[in-house]
Amino acid sequence: MLDARRRELLELVGLAPFNRRIADRLSGGMKQKLALACTLIHTPELLILDEPTVGIDPQSRHFIHDNLRRLNAAGMSIIYTSHYMDEVEQLCHELAIIDHGRIIAQGTVDALLTTRHNRAVELRTSAALP
């Protein structure tokens, strides 16, 4: 049963042709795909991902995003952390912006993009500007 699940997941993430390759010899994008397959082995109800697309090529990034959308559409809840706001806009329904461990903004992507935060930045210099 586990072997069938392994084959299914390698197919899902596009690594079936590499099933005999040692993980250490995979490219960065392939390692990220393998990591995703490993997290799915027991079909979790909640998937927590910490920047799963850092350092990978655009094609692998797109492939991972498509799989995450499919998993979410099938009912899996996903917590996704990213510094890439384009990913957040494409993948997330709701988000929280965290700064130094505190949530400073939370809501839907559309609501946060349309909200204006009235904040000022004050710049002080030790010498007068010309």
Side-chain angles (χ1 to χ4, degrees), residues 49-122:
L49 300 171
D50 185 19
E51 301 197 57
T53 61
V54 168
I56 64 171
D57 62 272
Q59 188 175 19
S60 294
R61 184 179 183 207
H62 181 73
F63 188 86
I64 289 171
H65 289 176
D66 284 348
N67 279 304
L68 293 178
R69 283 187 195 96
R70 277 190 222 110
L71 292 167
N72 184 247
M76 185 178 291
S77 297
I78 301 172
I79 296 176
Y80 189 95
T81 65
S82 179
H83 286 91
Y84 300 135
M85 291 311 293
D86 63 314
E87 286 187 352
V88 171
E89 289 179 50
Q90 292 174 23
L91 296 172
C92 301
H93 304 292
E94 294 196 27
L95 66 107
I97 298 173
I98 301 172
D99 184 34
H100 292 92
R102 290 187 37 227
I103 295 176
I104 60 170
Q106 185 175 358
T108 66
V109 174
D110 289 339
L112 289 176
L113 288 175
T114 58
T115 301
R116 293 186 180 185
H117 296 281
N118 296 323
R119 297 191 181 191
V121 175
E122 182 177 332

Side-chain angles (χ1 to χ4, degrees), residues 1 5 8-9 36-47 71 74-76:
M1 179 131 183
R5 180 70 175 149
E8 174 189 347
L9 290 171
L36 178 58
C38 289
T39 63
L40 297 172
I41 195 76
H42 296 292
T43 317
E45 292 180 32
L46 174 64
L47 181 61
L71 292 167
M76 185 178 291

